[in-house]
Amino acid sequence: MILYLIRRLAVTAAVLLVICAATFAIFYLMPADPAQGACGKACSPERLATIRATLGLDRSPFAQFGDYLGGILSGRAYGSGAAAVQCPFPCLGFSFQTNQPVWELLTSRLPVSISIAVGAAVLWLTVGVAAGVVSALRRGSLWDRAAMTAALGGVSLPIYFTALVLQYLLVVRLNVLPYPTAVPLTEDPIGWAQSMVMPWITLAMLYSGVYARVTRSEMLESLGRNYVRTARAKGLAEVTVVRRHALRPALMPIVTIFGMDLGALLGGALITESVFGLPGVGKLAADAIASADQPVILGVTLFAASFVVLANLAVDLAYAALDPRVRAVA
């Protein structure tokens, strides 16, 4: 298991390096000039040249990429002398439109994105897997048809529509929940939970339908296998048969999609955060795109991609834990 983990960590590091190079090339080698965006429209050539030198844009692309990697690993300084601007480790760039390091902007928004992603993930995983298991055990029943119809409806509804309907029903009409705001968990746990309920339900309605349908399909396949029939023939309780022999192999694809979905949401639920006005990483990305703040866009892209890659690593390790044959062939 240790050797398998080392191999997967090496691959993960290589993938992150490739992602870093690709995102750097996309955002820093395109015709758009970050110095012009930082300087503004009414900018003199002398001032523009000073900003380009401060940002290091007057250096070769390879030197700029080396500076960027060095900043991630140990921090860096923009400019020189008394006017130098320090960007501490890990430096993902410096936003001269907000005068803040990108890492500082990301970490200030991350608690909101984590609250949305983790809470919604627990909800959709619980509801989706439970509905799929029950539908598989009651195949063809009224529950099965109703659950799969509801799952199809949840997948079909766009996030912004569900969010607006929930706001109208729960906030405007029924007045049972406050409008979502960024309430810190440590300061007001009840207010934090109330503010997160609607984003959780919005995302859970979208994702739980997928999990219910996948779980039902995998459970039906598992229930038809010979080892399940053998377990039943031995007289094992139905709960034991379902939990130990049918559900465990059915969880393999669930682990895959859950890891990828959670990793993507940790990088920012852009539409959900924008609709509810929550200051998460996704909302930060939307604001950076609107203001053409290229260092922030680059930092958010690399940050979100890192979550997806790490989620993929977690999925691989979960596979190895669920099925030892994975370690043998990896």
Side-chain angles (χ1 to χ4, degrees):
M1 184 65 180
I2 299 299
L3 183 59
Y4 175 78
L5 176 60
I6 293 174
R7 288 200 298 266
R8 296 307 303 164
L9 287 174
V11 172
T12 299
V15 171
L16 287 175
L17 180 61
V18 172
I19 291 174
C20 183
T23 52
F24 181 88
I26 291 172
F27 289 105
Y28 274 86
L29 300 183
M30 289 178 67
D33 189 356
Q36 185 67 57
C39 190
K41 294 182 179 180
C43 184
S44 64
E46 294 78 12
R47 175 61 178 165
L48 183 62
T50 300
I51 293 178
R52 288 185 60 83
T54 301
L55 295 178
L57 298 176
D58 56 345
R59 294 160 56 83
S60 68
F62 293 103
Q64 291 183 50
F65 182 60
D67 292 340
Y68 190 74
L69 283 181
I72 295 176
L73 298 176
S74 60
R76 62 180 294 192
Y78 288 92
S80 59
V85 178
Q86 295 295 326
C87 182
F89 161 84
C91 179
L92 294 177
F94 194 93
S95 173
F96 283 86
Q97 295 192 12
T98 61
N99 292 320
Q100 288 181 280
V102 175
W103 179 256
E104 182 179 313
L105 290 171
L106 287 170
T107 52
S108 66
R109 304 292 189 97
L110 188 58
V112 174
S113 294
I114 290 178
S115 298
I116 295 174
V118 174
V122 172
L123 185 58
W124 86 56
L125 186 64
T126 303
V127 174
V129 172
V133 171
V134 176
S135 294
L137 296 176
R138 300 182 179 180
R139 181 180 183 182
S141 65
L142 179 61
W143 163 269
D144 183 22
R145 292 193 293 269
M148 291 302 103
T149 301
L152 182 60
V155 172
S156 304
L157 293 175
I159 289 178
Y160 59 84
F161 175 80
T162 305
L164 293 176
V165 169
L166 286 175
Q167 289 181 61
Y168 177 73
L169 292 177
L170 300 179
V171 178
V172 179
R173 297 291 296 179
L174 301 178
N175 196 26
V176 295
L177 288 175
Y179 190 83
T181 55
V183 179
L185 173 62
T186 55
E187 295 181 7
D188 185 4
I190 297 178
W192 169 82
Q194 290 177 337
S195 295
M196 293 292 111
V197 166
M198 282 193 289
W200 289 344
I201 296 176
T202 300
L203 287 172
M205 288 183 64
L206 176 67
Y207 286 94
S208 60
V210 176
Y211 284 74
R213 296 177 70 86
V214 172
T215 303
R216 178 184 182 274
S217 175
E218 294 296 324
M219 279 293 296
L220 288 175
E221 183 177 351
S222 294
L223 291 171
R225 294 192 179 276
N226 291 332
Y227 57 80
V228 173
R229 288 194 288 267
T230 302
R232 283 173 170 163
K234 290 180 177 180
L236 294 178
E238 185 66 15
V239 174
T240 303
V241 173
V242 171
R243 181 170 56 87
R244 291 187 179 180
H245 300 281
L247 183 58
R248 183 169 180 174
L251 288 178
M252 298 293 280
I254 299 298
V255 169
T256 300
I257 60 176
F258 178 73
M260 301 306 294
D261 288 340
L262 182 59
L265 283 180
L266 287 173
L270 191 151
I271 298 178
T272 304
E273 293 173 5
S274 298
V275 171
F276 289 110
L278 294 170
V281 176
K283 185 67 165 53
L284 175 65
D287 294 341
I289 292 171
S291 60
D293 196 343
Q294 287 185 309
V296 176
I297 298 173
L298 173 61
V300 170
T301 302
L302 182 60
F303 190 72
S306 299
F307 270 119
V308 174
V309 172
L310 293 176
N312 191 41
L313 173 63
V315 168
D316 289 341
L317 297 178
Y319 265 17
L322 289 172
D323 190 350
R325 292 175 298 177
V326 175
R327 301 194 298 267
V329 300

